Amino acid sequence: MGEFTLDLNDDQKQVRDWLHGFAADVIRPAASEWDEREETPWPVIQEAAKVGIYSLDFYAQQFFDPTGLGIPMAMEELFWGDAGIALSIVGTGLAAVGVLANGTEEQIGTWIPQMYGDANDVKVAAFCSSEPDAGSDVASMRTRAVYDQAKDEWVLNGTKTWATNGGIANVHVVVAVVDSELGSKGHASFIVPPDTPGLSQGQKFKKHGIRASHTAEVVLEDVRVPGHCLLGGKEKLDQRLARARERAQSGGERVKNAAMATFEASRPAVGAMAVGTARAAYEVALDYARTRTQFGRPIIDNQGVAFQLADMRTQIDAARLLVWRASWMATTGKPFESAEGSMSKLYASETAKKVTAQAIQILGGNGFTREYPVERMHRDAAIYTIFEGTSEIQRLVIARTLSGMPIR
């Protein structure tokens, strides 16, 4: 078990500096172009694959870092470069986490490599949970999975929305209802292999921010997948559903569903993304305040500007500490008894929105133009308080955890 520390070791520092160099030299120069194009930056993803950043091996090394800091450190540096491009690079990771959290060793070894492809033929994956009428309210999910015992196949029908890489992915991980009477406890996750008939891309969304990341609906019409594509296997699912039914009848403790398990594992990583965006905006604002002169002196000499920068830096550091604590707890198996994962995501997300807005204010009219990156960073930051659990949902999770109420 790794001890909690605020000091990165030499290997971690080397990885951090390598990622920072890639973000500065490859991601940032391309950020404005792909934001305007609103397209998946395949050339940048391929460059990331060539140097080993976009690969199963890299994320596995960071995921299994015994201190828990590998993933948040990587997310912060990449999203410091640009949120839209970084999300295109790391978006496959959410689907991979879904398999890691719920799949067997054989499923992990079979499907995760297919999510990434290789440097000569990069692939992406999509995690499909949200629906038009079931975003935060996962218990209202309508996508159904029905088991065809005669063919040992699952038949999926429904529509997913807000899916990163949805429709363009090589592998889709789809959360569906297998027992509607159990609400969110009756969900399971399924692998939809490449080129499976019946899966298609619906509407592609034109977004306010993170525009280099592909977001779309995924339509499932009589999609048939083999029985081995049920993550965890049918025996494990049947046992889990049986326990859920018993507990429902007795009023016992809740059972986590597949989607919630994935989101709980990924929330500190989203917090780290927000920290990266906030830090990038703060650094632009700090540099501008040092060099921009008004009334014969740099504007950082004005207390109103200096105090804003002081608050920005304090909030960023506080957010990073919450993210690191939650990441360390998750890695070392310490339970989130006070919803520390949700705390980290909530505070970091709100910090990113606030800091990027303050950066625009410090740059004044320049900050409101696309000639400076803080305008894009502010648009990008808005997503952190929305996806993978809105800030309101995070507060609900924290409040119910503290009060001992069930989280549905």
Side-chain angles (χ1 to χ4, degrees), residues 243-254:
R243 290 196 301 270
R245 294 187 191 103
E246 292 175 1
R247 286 166 176 163
Q249 292 173 355
S250 64
E253 64 185 80
R254 62 187 176 90

Side-chain angles (χ1 to χ4, degrees), residues 22 26 40-54 88-89 116 118-124:
F22 183 84
V26 180
T40 300
W42 291 107
V44 183
I45 299 174
Q46 188 168 33
E47 287 301 312
K50 287 179 179 178
V51 299
I53 293 174
Y54 186 75
S88 290
I89 293 173
Y116 289 96
D118 57 47
N120 296 318
D121 185 21
V122 293
K123 305 292 185 182
V124 294

Side-chain angles (χ1 to χ4, degrees), residues 2 36 46 70 89 115 228 275:
E36 294 286 347
Q46 188 168 33
I89 293 173
M115 294 179 175
H228 62 76
V275 171

Side-chain angles (χ1 to χ4, degrees), residues 233-274:
K234 193 166 188 306
E235 181 178 353
K236 182 178 179 181
L237 172 65
D238 289 342
Q239 292 173 353
R240 178 167 64 80
L241 294 178
R243 290 196 301 270
R245 294 187 191 103
E246 292 175 1
R247 286 166 176 163
Q249 292 173 355
S250 64
E253 64 185 80
R254 62 187 176 90
V255 179
K256 293 178 183 175
N257 66 72
M260 290 299 291
T262 299
F263 288 138
E264 186 171 295
S266 64
R267 277 172 179 158
V270 176
M273 298 173 189

Side-chain angles (χ1 to χ4, degrees), residues 15-171:
V15 172
R16 179 198 61 191
D17 294 345
W18 172 53
L19 291 170
H20 186 82
F22 183 84
D25 298 338
V26 180
I27 294 178
R28 277 207 171 176
S32 178
E33 175 189 351
W34 291 100
D35 177 71
E36 294 286 347
R37 291 176 62 167
E38 299 191 53
E39 298 174 358
T40 300
W42 291 107
V44 183
I45 299 174
Q46 188 168 33
E47 287 301 312
K50 287 179 179 178
V51 299
I53 293 174
Y54 186 75
S55 71
L56 171 61
D57 288 343
F58 172 73
Y59 287 105
Q61 289 174 12
Q62 305 316 309
F63 186 83
F64 291 110
D65 182 331
T67 70
L69 302 185
I71 289 294
M73 178 189 64
M75 295 302 105
E76 180 177 338
E77 293 304 328
L78 292 173
F79 280 74
W80 172 90
D82 176 69
I85 292 178
L87 189 57
S88 290
I89 293 173
V90 308
T92 293
L94 185 58
V97 168
V99 176
L100 285 168
N102 303 294
T104 64
E105 289 187 9
E106 182 179 358
Q107 289 170 332
I108 292 169
T110 298
W111 296 111
I112 293 184
Q114 295 187 48
M115 294 179 175
Y116 289 96
D118 57 47
N120 296 318
D121 185 21
V122 293
K123 305 292 185 182
V124 294
F127 182 77
C128 306
S129 177
S130 294
E131 298 185 1
D133 296 319
S136 299
D137 183 11
V138 294
S140 298
M141 190 176 293
R142 295 181 180 178
T143 298
R144 295 290 188 268
V146 178
Y147 185 57
D148 183 343
Q149 187 170 1
K151 295 183 178 180
D152 186 26
E153 292 178 338
W154 289 89
V155 185
L156 280 63
N157 282 282
T159 299
K160 295 297 182 178
T161 193
W162 310 124
T164 298
N165 298 329
I168 66 170
N170 195 48
V171 176

Side-chain angles (χ1 to χ4, degrees), residues 207-218:
K207 305 188 297 295
H208 175 66
I210 56 168
R211 300 196 303 193
S213 174
H214 176 97
T215 309
E217 290 182 331
V218 174

